[in-house]
Amino acid sequence: MSIIWLSVTCVCLLAGFFSLPFSPLTDLAHHVDQITLKEGIPVPFTAPKHNVWADLKDDEVTSVLDFLHVHNPELNLTSAKNASSWQNSIQLLEALAPPKSGALPFLDEAGSAPARYARVVVNQGASDFPSICDYKVGPLPITEGSKIEPLVYGNGQSCVDKPTPDFSEMTAWFSSAAEKYQDLLVDLLGSSLDSSSSTSIVDQLILGGRMTRTQKTEDPRKIQLWTEVHTKSDAWSLLPQGFYLQLDVTSRNSSNWQLLKCFYNGKIYNSIEDLHNASKVAGFAKSDPNINDGWADTVDFETANVHDNEAPAPVMVQPGGPRYKIDEAEQYVEWMGFEFYFTTRAANAMALYDIKFKGERIMYELGLQEALAAYSGANPMQSGQNWLDTYFGMGQLMFPLVRGYDCPAYATYVATNYSIKEEKWSNPDSICIFEYTADYPLQRHTTSRYVSISRNTYLVVKSVSTVGNYDYTFEYMFYLDGTVEVKVRASGYIFTAFYDAASLTSDTSVTITEDEYGYKVRDVVSGSMHDHVINFKADLDIGSTANSLVRVDIEPTTKSYPWDGELESPRNTMHLATVPITQEGGFDWPRNSGSMYIVHDNHSVNAWGEKRGYRIVPGTGMGTPPHLTILNSTGLEQATNWAGHDLWVLKQKDTEPRSAHERNVLNPGDPLVDFAKFVDDEDIVQEDL
Amino acid sequence: MSIIWLSVTCVCLLAGFFSLPFSPLTDLAHHVDQITLKEGIPVPFTAPKHNVWADLKDDEVTSVLDFLHVHNPELNLTSAKNASSWQNSIQLLEALAPPKSGALPFLDEAGSAPARYARVVVNQGASDFPSICDYKVGPLPITEGSKIEPLVYGNGQSCVDKPTPDFSEMTAWFSSAAEKYQDLLVDLLGSSLDSSSSTSIVDQLILGGRMTRTQKTEDPRKIQLWTEVHTKSDAWSLLPQGFYLQLDVTSRNSSNWQLLKCFYNGKIYNSIEDLHNASKVAGFAKSDPNINDGWADTVDFETANVHDNEAPAPVMVQPGGPRYKIDEAEQYVEWMGFEFYFTTRAANAMALYDIKFKGERIMYELGLQEALAAYSGANPMQSGQNWLDTYFGMGQLMFPLVRGYDCPAYATYVATNYSIKEEKWSNPDSICIFEYTADYPLQRHTTSRYVSISRNTYLVVKSVSTVGNYDYTFEYMFYLDGTVEVKVRASGYIFTAFYDAASLTSDTSVTITEDEYGYKVRDVVSGSMHDHVINFKADLDIGSTANSLVRVDIEPTTKSYPWDGELESPRNTMHLATVPITQEGGFDWPRNSGSMYIVHDNHSVNAWGEKRGYRIVPGTGMGTPPHLTILNSTGLEQATNWAGHDLWVLKQKDTEPRSAHERNVLNPGDPLVDFAKFVDDEDIVQEDL
């Protein structure tokens, strides 16, 4: 039933990321523990059915590429390896998950496997108005009957304009435009753009950008960009420099680009020339440069804890071997009554399907939809910065896990593969699966005669997506009592804001500084506040696909009971009040944990007449995971309409498979998938939710 | 500064406990792991100062007992071993923690140790109005100058009436009163009170009670008791029978006790005789007995998971030995920059003192104050049941931890001792201390060249207090980043309610059933809803004792920025708003995690001008820990005024050392410690909070 779109989030003053191009890491230094442990050796084991959600196999990729290049000349494709940004080329090729209505007969009855299709993402550069388009190809394997057709989303479109200029093109343009102002850069930032310059006190400068595109303007294709200068470093996001340029990059021809504005130390300038002139005037206020004198280095051995050289910390071992079973070919796992399939996609990373507990399905699907980081700040960059991280490929960025650190050395490590730009992109060790034992028992009780106590061992399926400065750790956890939990952790470097000493005056003459948006973590660096809101889809099927949602309120109340004496009556007490949720909508975690959200099948009761159900809770983290603080975000527009509440309940529809599209960020005013359009007051009592 | 009275709580439908007498367990079956592990061998290590909060040493106990018996004949003490409930005897003898003002000069300067005192709890039975009184004895060691004086609490009293009849006396009275109704008991419950009866289909019956005493009545000494019948079993709290009697037990002479009312299957009877007569009438509706046919047994081997016989689960090992240091004599621990003392008390269990991180004190005191369980229900027992568990001695009930289950086998186990009724009460292995490594790193980041990753190893100090059916696990956790966390877990058997099939009509003709108060866990058993609210005192000293509390709100806002174009301005965004908390008061965790509570010293700033502080957060558990749902509880009256909010901030005072007294439950209308009286609008800016 129940599709629960759950937001797992944290408000923190700690993180961010950046749109740098990434390449797969093949030479990671594995900090493997010095204790040699027995590797997990899975028992040979076969899934009951094929994994119909699995990504394309190598032969499928080959045949679809052949089909596209050879049999579909109207696509005008250039081989991705040779294609320029002015040609059409394949960006991504992956499997398209079957509709639930097609998969259920195969899973539950003797039905045949659902028809298999591929999704092809094409960079359509051979146009004055370049776009990125999704196509559906199939059925697979390719036969006479196979065809390609546009894959249309909620807004009726399969394409979105591709506005971002090439990163290399932009850097080249900027270098060229700034050439005659090298003295200004050296004067203000202590460095030229030329790393070989003897005046360079920082290593080298790099550019970051924040795009503005809105449907509200007369020319909806108009693209403006605020850029910020960072010092080049592994910790570049800690090293912003207080120098910002606004560009108009609407044209495909970079010679038509325009520099619109310049921002330095709390003031706006209409050109670099204006700033250059101002800087020559006596009394011009300069901000201090953000110099990396080593403070942004990873490890500070000099002030390391004295105990660092002592005996190693405790470590988990598994001397008896694994107790879970994995069919690696079908990506199928069984552990202590749980069974599930898993798969990955380039944008959305891992998803789990057909999760069963004690032989009964409890979830059809559980997976990441989108990860939003929304900033605020007192400078042109952070004040409007929003990152929608599936755009960068959170599956593609699932880099190798570190054995013995991310996961125990005895874990099972699984590789994932994607077809990116017609090449096989392999991420070894990108998923790990392991059992772990908590530092507290599942239950315990001391009686006068004995102690009853049970180890709390659980199963973890983990991956880490590193998106620029930011590492998201995703954990799907299974507990012996039937609980399934999704945990998200954020690590890496924070995306900081440059701190201008001078106060800045806005149009309305209100003085603001970065103090209103974070705490200083260095003389000229602020820890730029931001919300992370991370959306998951959970398609619960409890008992059957016909499910209902109720909210059970734990309410204070006043009651008169016949057994109470006059002085005690009426009594202030509490009770349960069950409120059926009858229409699609968004809900928040209750105040004082005073309500419980429960999904059940009204017709499936246990031996004592209670409805069988699963409760949806915020998860075991720090406090209540919040939803987006910003109301009606100016920058996000319609791109993240799932972010305003903690929990959404919708009717399951084959036509509404995802709450977001990884290219929503490119046109937030009219995104490919607008989640708000799914929430259309449909009745949700005893439906497939 | 800051005394933070923090409520750690859970609303659950799962637990309860009971006032059975307990004896220390000496023959616990230790389920020790089959894997032989190296024991933690602490390095010889000495605390920098004596532990001035430590409980009394054996020689101190001996000398104080001698002082009381020999030198204070006016106390009219009988040796506890021989004393009847009609004589005066010593219930408890323990150390009295020194006032903070006395301890600080000793800790921070070359001051001498604060004067040491003992607290003596005396059962004053030699009176028509028996009471329990607290005395202060000292200074110690006993000299000519030592004296005994009443230890006076917030309400100006050192004594509280002792209303509870002896448990054995009550059982004897009940057996005698019920003797002529054996046929009724057999008829209704399927068992007589005589376990040897051949008609007994349940093992044996036991009695539980709920006392009502209120200041609102004309005779404030009047004690009424609703009793409930349970089947005797280790799982007696799962086996209530639907038979309730109300008694008046005000008199010290049990022959004056009166049976007031009787409740069975939804109806009130004015005497057992009335019920007896009613049961003979045709059509009398009987409820089904709650039979233990094995369902309440601890382990169900027949339906155990098939994997139970497989290889053991993963286990944490510590091959390099411990990295923490313990001075067991002074109960002092050092680990990775943390240092602290610990001690225990019979009522309140463990407390930590003088917690330092990197050489600076961050907390003067951290410890349990009270654990409340407040029930509601559709029967005379659960509808008014409130347990205040320090009454039962949560230190005294710290039974041995199970090696390899509660804590790793390599942990350091510490024994605790109390002087109860003039005898040494020893709890071996009642505290454990160990390092553990989490299943996720403290930080990680993948760059294009390397991965930086740190193990997340933390220190745990753990104890378990088993109060009747209920096991509270208390964990004080220390993390490498300076975080200190208190975790409370509840396990054991739930305190259930008997489920009457017949609906019950109250005075106001409203029909109610147990369905309004929980879910059925068995044909005639309901999981009786209740709140747990657990109160801790945290006396933070950040930078100095002069501290302040601020609330930093994460607020949505609308702003105009000079760099935004016309179409983007004004911008919907968010910012931080700092609200100083200037007066004592209670606060709740914010909605949507939208505020941060921070304690800092306004005059202590870091290198970048930010105030040094600690943030107070709900802790890493399931959702937000709630405060008490019931508003103005009829039964709790003034006994738990700390339970209505999540967080309280008060000025530290030597005269307000505890938020609760373990005998508050005996007179909730006028308790020894009324927390509300501490909250008196005092200014708290830059004070010792």
Side-chain angles (χ1 to χ4, degrees):
Chain A
M1 108 86 147
S2 302
I3 307 226
I4 306 295
W5 310 80
L6 201 77
S7 287
V8 178
T9 55
C10 73
V11 173
C12 68
L13 303 173
L14 276 183
F17 62 83
F18 197 62
S19 58
L20 287 180
F22 265 85
S23 53
L25 305 181
T26 51
D27 58 346
L28 288 177
H30 286 173
H31 302 246
V32 177
D33 201 8
Q34 61 265 52
I35 300 161
T36 305
L37 299 168
K38 185 179 172 186
E39 278 275 331
I41 303 160
V43 179
F45 173 65
T46 307
K49 304 251 177 175
H50 286 301
N51 184 336
V52 293
W53 309 276
D55 204 354
L56 300 178
K57 303 280 175 276
D58 289 351
D59 58 340
E60 290 177 316
V61 169
T62 305
S63 70
V64 174
L65 289 178
D66 178 71
F67 174 76
L68 294 172
H69 280 287
V70 178
H71 300 284
N72 290 276
E74 74 284 5
L75 292 172
N76 186 25
L77 289 174
T78 302
S79 145
K81 198 168 15 181
N82 305 321
S84 76
S85 64
W86 285 85
Q87 293 175 309
N88 292 353
S89 64
I90 295 171
Q91 172 65 32
L92 171 71
L93 177 57
E94 67 181 11
L96 197 58
K100 186 176 178 182
S101 61
L104 286 185
F106 169 69
L107 295 172
D108 297 339
E109 301 151 33
S112 54
R116 188 159 165 81
Y117 285 86
R119 181 171 83 113
V120 186
V121 180
V122 178
N123 275 316
Q124 306 208 147
S127 157
D128 280 344
F129 301 106
S131 60
I132 312 176
C133 297
D134 281 10
Y135 295 93
K136 178 179 177 181
V137 177
L140 305 184
I142 297 291
T143 62
E144 292 278 311
S146 299
K147 57 180 182 173
I148 179 167
E149 54 189 334
L151 186 54
V152 179
Y153 292 96
N155 71 344
Q157 304 293 318
S158 61
C159 300
V160 61
D161 289 352
K162 191 190 176 196
T164 313
D166 250 28
F167 189 79
S168 57
E169 216 176 346
M170 202 172 79
T171 303
W173 183 89
F174 181 81
S175 297
S176 158
E179 201 163 356
K180 57 177 171 173
Y181 301 108
Q182 294 289 357
D183 65 322
L184 179 71
L185 294 176
V186 171
D187 185 32
L188 300 187
L189 305 182
S191 176
S192 71
L193 279 171
D194 174 8
S195 64
S196 64
S197 162
S198 62
T199 61
S200 177
I201 57 165
V202 289
D203 300 328
Q204 203 178 335
L205 300 178
I206 55 169
L207 266 193
R210 168 174 81 79
M211 188 188 89
T212 302
R213 187 191 185 204
T214 171
Q215 291 295 311
K216 286 180 284 190
T217 176
E218 276 170 42
D219 176 7
R221 290 186 193 271
K222 194 179 185 75
I223 306 297
Q224 294 181 349
L225 201 66
W226 267 108
T227 64
E228 178 180 32
V229 171
H230 289 258
T231 301
K232 202 168 190 176
S233 157
D234 288 331
W236 55 265
S237 70
L238 301 178
L239 299 166
Q241 304 297 337
F243 187 75
Y244 311 82
L245 299 173
Q246 190 185 31
L247 314 178
D248 186 311
V249 293
T250 307
S251 172
R252 287 212 76 182
N253 182 348
S254 65
S255 63
N256 293 332
W257 294 355
Q258 289 180 294
L259 198 151
L260 303 174
K261 280 179 191 164
C262 179
F263 179 83
Y264 178 77
N265 203 12
K267 290 200 176 64
I268 292 276
Y269 300 88
N270 286 324
S271 66
I272 297 192
E273 190 62 36
D274 281 2
L275 171 61
H276 198 203
N277 293 339
S279 72
K280 303 297 181 197
V281 177
F284 176 77
K286 288 205 285 184
S287 49
D288 293 330
N290 181 10
I291 298 167
N292 182 16
D293 55 3
W295 74 273
D297 291 350
T298 305
V299 179
D300 180 357
F301 285 105
E302 303 211 354
T303 60
N305 195 293
V306 292
H307 298 282
D308 274 3
N309 296 322
E310 291 190 3
V315 63
M316 191 68 74
V317 296
Q318 183 187 263
R323 306 190 299 175
Y324 52 84
K325 293 175 184 171
I326 302 180
D327 178 341
E328 289 201 36
E330 295 296 339
Q331 299 190 313
Y332 175 81
V333 178
E334 189 204 277
W335 176 78
M336 294 285 172
F338 279 104
E339 302 161 69
F340 57 89
Y341 295 84
F342 63 91
T343 187
T344 51
R345 291 292 184 273
N348 298 55
M350 192 162 33
L352 274 48
Y353 284 93
D354 200 20
I355 303 173
K356 291 182 178 178
F357 183 59
K358 293 189 173 175
E360 288 187 57
R361 180 177 306 127
I362 55 173
M363 277 195 229
Y364 175 76
E365 181 181 355
L366 175 63
L368 173 69
Q369 303 295 304
E370 184 56 279
L372 162 67
Y375 289 73
S376 66
N379 69 62
M381 183 64 59
Q382 297 303 87
S383 64
Q385 190 65 283
N386 294 298
W387 300 104
L388 288 166
D389 277 357
T390 60
Y391 177 70
F392 304 102
M394 294 185 75
Q396 196 175 336
L397 300 175
M398 278 168 54
F399 297 121
L401 298 159
V402 181
R403 291 175 183 241
Y405 284 74
D406 279 314
C407 325
Y410 61 75
T412 301
Y413 293 82
V414 177
T416 51
N417 300 295
Y418 306 94
S419 173
I420 311 282
K421 296 187 177 180
E422 301 187 34
E423 296 215 348
K424 186 169 179 170
W425 175 298
S426 293
N427 287 339
D429 292 0
S430 52
I431 297 172
C432 72
I433 299 163
F434 60 93
E435 262 190 310
Y436 213 78
T437 300
D439 64 356
Y440 59 93
L442 189 63
Q443 67 82 25
R444 72 159 344 272
H445 185 53
T446 299
T447 73
S448 55
R449 297 184 294 124
Y450 58 86
V451 181
S452 146
I453 189 163
S454 308
R455 280 237 180 75
N456 187 7
T457 297
Y458 51 89
L459 188 77
V460 182
V461 183
K462 182 186 290 205
S463 67
V464 176
S465 297
T466 300
V467 189
N469 58 312
Y470 227 131
D471 301 58
Y472 293 97
T473 298
F474 297 104
E475 293 169 344
Y476 295 92
M477 305 177 76
F478 299 86
Y479 297 92
L480 291 168
D481 64 359
T483 300
V484 179
E485 184 180 8
V486 180
K487 267 192 205 290
V488 181
R489 302 176 197 281
S491 189
Y493 294 113
I494 56 174
F495 199 135
T496 61
F498 185 83
Y499 186 95
D500 277 315
S503 290
L504 175 148
T505 307
S506 76
D507 289 348
T508 54
S509 302
V510 178
T511 299
I512 53 168
T513 76
E514 212 62 63
D515 290 327
E516 196 177 332
Y517 303 98
Y519 292 92
K520 282 174 93 167
V521 295
R522 195 76 189 167
D523 292 59
V524 292
V525 184
S526 166
S528 197
M529 72 184 289
H530 55 281
D531 277 1
H532 289 277
V533 192
I534 298 161
N535 189 241
F536 286 84
K537 175 183 180 181
D539 179 356
L540 278 76
D541 287 335
I542 309 298
S544 69
T545 56
N547 284 182
S548 299
L549 178 76
V550 294
R551 195 187 73 223
V552 179
D553 293 334
I554 300 159
E555 284 184 342
T557 186
T558 300
K559 297 262 187 184
S560 296
Y561 299 108
W563 50 78
D564 278 341
E566 213 174 290
L567 294 169
E568 293 169 306
S569 195
R571 177 177 287 280
N572 293 332
T573 183
M574 61 181 172
H575 70 150
L576 301 176
T578 301
V579 181
I581 309 290
T582 58
Q583 286 197 324
E584 295 189 336
F587 308 96
D588 292 335
W589 302 126
R591 259 197 114 78
N592 197 33
S593 302
S595 297
M596 303 182 286
Y597 292 103
I598 300 173
V599 171
H600 55 220
D601 175 353
N602 283 336
H603 305 309
S604 174
V605 295
N606 70 9
W608 308 295
E610 298 287 1
K611 291 170 188 169
R612 298 163 73 223
Y614 260 74
R615 182 176 166 200
I616 304 165
V617 293
T620 55
M622 199 177 73
T624 302
H627 50 266
L628 188 63
T629 301
I630 299 173
L631 306 174
N632 302 315
S633 167
T634 305
L636 290 165
E637 299 188 76
Q638 309 309 318
T640 58
N641 280 321
W642 44 264
H645 287 292
D646 296 322
L647 182 71
W648 297 86
V649 179
L650 274 72
K651 192 166 161 179
Q652 193 279 331
K653 286 188 179 175
D654 287 350
T655 53
E656 298 175 355
R658 296 163 65 184
S659 66
H661 190 287
E662 66 264 29
R663 288 190 297 280
N664 273 7
V665 71
L666 294 182
N667 197 2
D670 181 21
L672 284 175
V673 175
D674 178 355
F675 183 71
K677 292 185 179 160
F678 298 173
V679 188
D680 47 2
D681 297 340
E682 284 172 295
D683 190 272
I684 54 163
V685 177
Q686 290 298 103
E687 295 285 352
D688 188 359
L689 305 183
Chain B
M1 103 95 153
S2 301
I3 306 225
I4 306 296
W5 309 81
L6 200 77
S7 287
V8 177
T9 54
C10 72
V11 174
C12 67
L13 303 173
L14 277 182
F17 62 82
F18 197 63
S19 59
L20 286 180
F22 264 85
S23 53
L25 305 181
T26 51
D27 57 346
L28 289 177
H30 286 173
H31 302 248
V32 178
D33 200 8
Q34 61 265 54
I35 299 161
T36 304
L37 299 167
K38 184 179 172 186
E39 278 276 329
I41 304 161
V43 179
F45 173 65
T46 308
K49 304 251 177 174
H50 286 300
N51 183 336
V52 294
W53 309 275
D55 205 354
L56 301 177
K57 303 279 175 277
D58 289 351
D59 58 340
E60 289 178 317
V61 168
T62 304
S63 70
V64 174
L65 289 178
D66 178 70
F67 174 76
L68 294 173
H69 279 288
V70 178
H71 300 284
N72 289 277
E74 74 283 4
L75 292 173
N76 187 24
L77 290 175
T78 303
S79 145
K81 195 164 25 177
N82 305 320
S84 76
S85 63
W86 284 85
Q87 293 175 308
N88 293 353
S89 64
I90 295 169
Q91 172 64 32
L92 171 70
L93 176 58
E94 67 180 11
L96 198 57
K100 186 177 179 182
S101 61
L104 286 186
F106 169 70
L107 295 172
D108 296 340
E109 302 152 31
S112 54
R116 187 158 165 82
Y117 285 86
R119 181 172 82 114
V120 187
V121 180
V122 178
N123 276 316
Q124 306 208 145
S127 158
D128 280 345
F129 300 105
S131 60
I132 312 175
C133 297
D134 281 10
Y135 295 94
K136 178 179 176 181
V137 177
L140 304 184
I142 297 291
T143 61
E144 290 279 309
S146 299
K147 57 182 181 173
I148 178 168
E149 54 189 331
L151 186 54
V152 179
Y153 292 96
N155 71 344
Q157 304 292 319
S158 63
C159 300
V160 61
D161 289 352
K162 191 189 178 195
T164 314
D166 249 27
F167 190 78
S168 57
E169 216 177 345
M170 202 173 79
T171 304
W173 183 88
F174 182 79
S175 298
S176 156
E179 202 163 357
K180 58 178 171 171
Y181 300 108
Q182 293 290 358
D183 66 321
L184 179 71
L185 294 177
V186 171
D187 185 32
L188 300 187
L189 306 182
S191 175
S192 70
L193 279 172
D194 175 8
S195 65
S196 64
S197 161
S198 62
T199 60
S200 176
I201 57 165
V202 289
D203 301 328
Q204 202 178 334
L205 300 178
I206 55 170
L207 265 193
R210 168 172 82 79
M211 188 187 89
T212 302
R213 187 189 184 207
T214 172
Q215 291 294 310
K216 286 179 284 189
T217 175
E218 276 170 43
D219 176 8
R221 291 186 192 272
K222 194 179 185 75
I223 306 297
Q224 293 181 349
L225 202 65
W226 267 108
T227 64
E228 177 181 31
V229 171
H230 288 258
T231 301
K232 202 169 191 176
S233 156
D234 288 331
W236 55 265
S237 70
L238 301 178
L239 299 167
Q241 304 297 338
F243 187 75
Y244 309 83
L245 298 173
Q246 190 185 31
L247 313 179
D248 186 313
V249 294
T250 308
S251 172
R252 287 213 75 182
N253 183 346
S254 66
S255 63
N256 293 333
W257 294 356
Q258 287 180 295
L259 197 151
L260 303 174
K261 280 179 191 163
C262 179
F263 179 82
Y264 177 78
N265 203 11
K267 289 200 176 64
I268 292 277
Y269 300 88
N270 287 323
S271 66
I272 297 192
E273 191 61 37
D274 281 2
L275 172 60
H276 199 201
N277 293 339
S279 73
K280 303 297 180 197
V281 176
F284 175 77
K286 288 206 286 182
S287 50
D288 292 331
N290 180 9
I291 297 167
N292 182 16
D293 56 3
W295 73 273
D297 291 349
T298 305
V299 179
D300 180 357
F301 286 105
E302 302 210 357
T303 60
N305 194 294
V306 292
H307 298 282
D308 274 3
N309 296 324
E310 289 189 3
V315 64
M316 190 68 73
V317 296
Q318 182 187 265
R323 305 190 300 174
Y324 52 85
K325 294 175 183 171
I326 303 180
D327 178 341
E328 289 202 35
E330 295 296 339
Q331 300 191 313
Y332 176 80
V333 177
E334 189 204 276
W335 176 78
M336 294 285 171
F338 279 106
E339 304 161 68
F340 58 88
Y341 294 85
F342 64 92
T343 187
T344 52
R345 291 291 183 274
N348 298 54
M350 193 162 31
L352 273 49
Y353 284 94
D354 199 21
I355 303 173
K356 291 182 178 177
F357 183 58
K358 294 188 173 176
E360 288 187 57
R361 181 178 305 127
I362 54 172
M363 277 195 229
Y364 175 77
E365 181 182 355
L366 176 63
L368 174 70
Q369 303 293 305
E370 184 56 278
L372 161 67
Y375 287 74
S376 65
N379 70 62
M381 182 64 59
Q382 297 303 87
S383 64
Q385 191 64 283
N386 294 299
W387 300 104
L388 288 166
D389 278 356
T390 61
Y391 178 71
F392 304 103
M394 295 185 75
Q396 197 175 335
L397 300 176
M398 278 166 54
F399 297 120
L401 298 159
V402 181
R403 290 174 183 242
Y405 284 75
D406 279 313
C407 324
Y410 60 75
T412 301
Y413 292 82
V414 177
T416 51
N417 299 295
Y418 306 95
S419 173
I420 311 283
K421 295 188 177 179
E422 301 186 33
E423 297 214 349
K424 187 170 179 170
W425 174 298
S426 294
N427 286 341
D429 293 359
S430 51
I431 297 171
C432 72
I433 299 163
F434 61 93
E435 263 190 309
Y436 212 78
T437 301
D439 64 354
Y440 60 93
L442 188 64
Q443 68 81 25
R444 72 160 343 273
H445 184 54
T446 298
T447 73
S448 54
R449 297 184 294 124
Y450 58 85
V451 181
S452 147
I453 189 163
S454 309
R455 281 236 180 77
N456 187 7
T457 297
Y458 51 87
L459 188 76
V460 183
V461 182
K462 182 186 290 204
S463 68
V464 177
S465 297
T466 301
V467 189
N469 58 313
Y470 226 131
D471 300 57
Y472 293 98
T473 298
F474 297 105
E475 293 170 345
Y476 296 93
M477 304 177 77
F478 300 86
Y479 298 91
L480 291 168
D481 64 358
T483 300
V484 179
E485 184 180 10
V486 180
K487 267 193 204 290
V488 181
R489 302 175 197 281
S491 188
Y493 293 113
I494 55 174
F495 199 134
T496 60
F498 186 83
Y499 187 94
D500 277 316
S503 290
L504 175 148
T505 307
S506 76
D507 290 349
T508 53
S509 303
V510 179
T511 299
I512 52 168
T513 75
E514 212 61 64
D515 290 327
E516 195 177 332
Y517 303 98
Y519 292 92
K520 282 174 92 168
V521 295
R522 195 78 191 165
D523 291 59
V524 292
V525 184
S526 166
S528 196
M529 73 183 287
H530 55 281
D531 276 1
H532 290 276
V533 193
I534 298 160
N535 190 242
F536 286 84
K537 176 183 180 182
D539 180 355
L540 278 76
D541 286 336
I542 309 298
S544 70
T545 57
N547 284 182
S548 299
L549 178 76
V550 295
R551 194 186 73 224
V552 179
D553 293 333
I554 301 158
E555 284 183 343
T557 186
T558 301
K559 298 261 187 186
S560 295
Y561 298 109
W563 49 78
D564 278 340
E566 214 173 289
L567 293 168
E568 293 169 305
S569 195
R571 178 178 287 281
N572 294 332
T573 182
M574 61 181 173
H575 70 150
L576 301 176
T578 301
V579 182
I581 308 290
T582 58
Q583 287 197 324
E584 295 189 334
F587 308 96
D588 293 335
W589 302 125
R591 258 196 115 78
N592 198 33
S593 301
S595 298
M596 302 182 286
Y597 291 103
I598 300 173
V599 171
H600 55 220
D601 175 353
N602 283 338
H603 305 309
S604 174
V605 295
N606 70 9
W608 308 296
E610 298 287 1
K611 291 171 188 167
R612 298 163 74 224
Y614 259 75
R615 181 176 167 200
I616 304 165
V617 292
T620 55
M622 199 178 72
T624 303
H627 51 265
L628 189 63
T629 301
I630 299 174
L631 305 174
N632 301 315
S633 166
T634 305
L636 290 165
E637 299 188 78
Q638 309 309 318
T640 59
N641 280 322
W642 45 264
H645 288 292
D646 296 322
L647 180 71
W648 297 87
V649 179
L650 274 72
K651 192 166 162 178
Q652 193 279 331
K653 287 188 179 174
D654 287 350
T655 53
E656 297 175 356
R658 297 162 65 184
S659 67
H661 189 287
E662 66 265 30
R663 288 189 297 280
N664 273 8
V665 70
L666 294 183
N667 196 3
D670 181 21
L672 285 175
V673 175
D674 179 355
F675 183 73
K677 292 184 178 159
F678 297 174
V679 188
D680 45 5
D681 297 339
E682 285 173 294
D683 190 90
I684 53 163
V685 177
Q686 288 299 100
E687 296 284 353
D688 189 358
L689 305 185

